[in-house]
Structure formats: structure tokens, C-alpha cells
Amino acid sequence: MNILKLLIVIILISTLFVIEKLDLYIKIPGFEKIHRIYLSQKDICGNNYIKEEKIAKIVLDEIAKKMENLKISEYNSSVSFISQENYKVLITKIISIPPDKFPKEAIIYGGLKDGIKKYSLVAVNGKLFGRVIEVYENSSKIITVFSPNFYVDTVFPNSKIRAILKGSPDGKMKIFASSGPIEGIEGEEATTSGNKFSSPAGIKIGKVKNNEVEISFDLTDILYVSIIVGEENNI
């Protein structure tokens, strides 16, 4: 009797398998209900739904944790150079950025309602990345240090030379004008001067090489940027 029951079970499973593989539940009336029972605990790919749901939750939790770590890392790298009073750092996500090696502009989350102001400097990992040029209700547009329309007033701390740097799409900012000879500042790092539209002071930009300032960013996984917003008496 036990052998007979086993044979019946094997025949039933085999029948359901054939129905599934040959789509008989579509072709022959009456098989559709049996087919629904067969797939009651499975999705259209034949995988267990509950198991897939658990895996998806684990993946989403890992992504959320990674994003939070990136956000914290960006904040920590940016607050290190905010020593002056009346400045605050707003960490926000990038909405869109061109896939270029040296992108000239980007759109970010956050706008008027978030306290972002026009001309605020933008940093990534503690280094100057650009400036806000347009502020909308919920988003803002920035130009980066790779844009030919980007200018910043800088200082070379060791030599005390002041200079205006101009953005360039080749990843090297040009020394547009300087207060002294630049031949002797090879290897020095340029920082923001703290002047109007170039504040706060001390944000690192890049080092001088062959009379140009090399910008080094790893933009492969760029997600967050720091907006450095000054109070009214600093603008």
C-alpha cells in the first residue's frame, strides 16, 4: 500500500511538471486551477517569494548603510576646514551629473527651502568642487572647478602669493592672475582666500604643477557634496 501511495505521488508530481513545461494549463481546459495550486508559493520565476523578499531586504539594508556611511564621511571631511563662525555645512545628494571625466556642472537636491544660497562654495571630500550658480525651490545647479566659467580667489600659504584660478575641462585649473611670480611655487597647494565668493578660507583646491593647479577627484562613486553656506554678513 505504501508503494502504491508513493507511485501516485510520483505520478502526480510528474504530471504537474509536464503541465508546467508544456503549458498544458493554457491549452487544455481544467488544468488552470491545478497549475495555480502548483505555483501558489512561487513567483513567475519559480523562486520562493518569501526567500527572495528576505534577500532583497538584506541588499536594501546594505545599500542604505553604505549611503549613510558616505554621508557621514562627506560631512566629516568638510567640517574640518570650517573654523570661522557663521558658516554651516549642508550635505546633499547629486541628482544628475554628466558622465564626463571632468564634468562642468551638476544638479543637486536642496534649494531655497533648504537654505542653500547662490554663490555658496561646494566641496567633495574636503576639497573645492564648485559653486552654486542657480537656486530653485527644491534643487540647485552648480558649476564645477572644471568649467571655464569657474573662477576662485586663492592663496598659496607658504609663499603668501594670491592668485585667481580659472576652471578648465582638462582637470587642471589655470592661474589667471597672481600677485607675484609663480615660478617658485611648484608643489604648493592652493586654498580659498576667504574673499567674497571665495569663502570660507582654507578649502584645499590642488597643487601647482607646471604653472597649473592639478585637481584630483575620484568621481566614480560620487553621491554626496557639501554646500558651505555663510550667514548674511559673510556673503
Side-chain angles (χ1 to χ4, degrees):
M1 181 63 68
N2 290 335
I3 296 176
L4 180 60
K5 289 181 179 179
L6 180 61
L7 287 173
I8 292 172
V9 171
I10 293 173
I11 292 171
L12 181 59
I13 293 174
S14 300
T15 302
L16 292 174
F17 179 81
V18 172
I19 290 171
E20 169 69 13
K21 291 300 179 181
L22 299 181
D23 292 336
L24 293 179
Y25 65 96
I26 296 176
K27 300 172 185 176
I28 301 177
F31 278 108
E32 186 176 357
K33 291 182 180 179
I34 299 176
H35 182 260
R36 279 204 296 266
I37 294 172
Y38 177 64
L39 291 181
S40 60
Q41 298 299 318
K42 298 188 176 187
D43 61 15
I44 59 173
C45 297
N47 296 317
N48 185 279
Y49 175 78
I50 296 175
K51 180 180 178 182
E52 291 299 318
E53 186 180 37
K54 289 180 179 179
I55 293 174
K57 188 177 185 304
I58 292 172
V59 172
L60 289 174
D61 288 344
E62 288 178 350
I63 292 173
K65 185 177 180 180
K66 181 179 179 181
M67 292 177 65
E68 184 62 25
N69 289 339
L70 287 172
K71 185 176 181 179
I72 293 172
S73 175
E74 177 58 39
Y75 180 80
N76 290 338
S77 68
S78 295
V79 295
S80 61
F81 53 71
I82 305 299
S83 57
Q84 301 95 323
E85 295 181 356
N86 300 322
Y87 282 97
K88 61 181 178 180
V89 177
L90 303 176
I91 308 299
T92 185
K93 285 184 183 179
I94 288 180
I95 297 176
S96 65
I97 188 170
D100 308 329
K101 184 177 181 180
F102 303 114
K104 302 180 187 68
E105 59 184 37
I107 303 295
I108 60 174
Y109 284 106
L112 294 171
K113 70 180 186 64
D114 303 291
I116 292 179
K117 298 177 182 179
K118 194 173 183 179
Y119 304 127
S120 296
L121 293 183
V122 182
V124 171
N125 294 327
K127 290 189 176 183
L128 185 64
F129 182 62
R131 176 183 288 113
V132 177
I133 59 169
E134 297 291 345
V135 183
Y136 312 108
E137 188 64 24
N138 299 302
S139 62
S140 301
K141 180 179 181 180
I142 67 174
I143 58 172
T144 74
V145 291
F146 307 120
S147 170
N149 297 321
F150 182 88
Y151 291 86
V152 62
D153 188 28
T154 64
V155 61
F156 297 95
N158 293 338
S159 62
K160 309 301 182 185
I161 291 178
R162 296 280 293 269
I164 296 175
L165 303 184
K166 178 182 179 180
S168 175
D170 63 0
K172 300 174 183 178
M173 297 192 76
K174 313 305 178 186
I175 300 177
F176 182 75
S178 67
S179 63
I182 61 174
E183 288 76 14
I185 60 174
E186 183 79 8
E188 272 201 62
E189 184 155 41
T191 62
T192 53
S193 67
N195 198 3
K196 189 174 183 180
F197 304 132
S198 300
S199 59
I203 303 177
K204 295 179 180 180
I205 302 173
K207 293 184 178 181
V208 178
K209 184 176 181 180
N210 297 326
N211 296 333
E212 296 176 321
V213 177
E214 286 196 333
I215 309 298
S216 59
F217 280 116
D218 182 7
L219 302 178
T220 306
D221 297 318
I222 185 171
L223 182 62
Y224 290 99
V225 295
S226 300
I227 314 297
I228 303 141
V229 181
E231 301 299 334
E232 292 299 328
N233 61 343
N234 287 86
I235 300 298

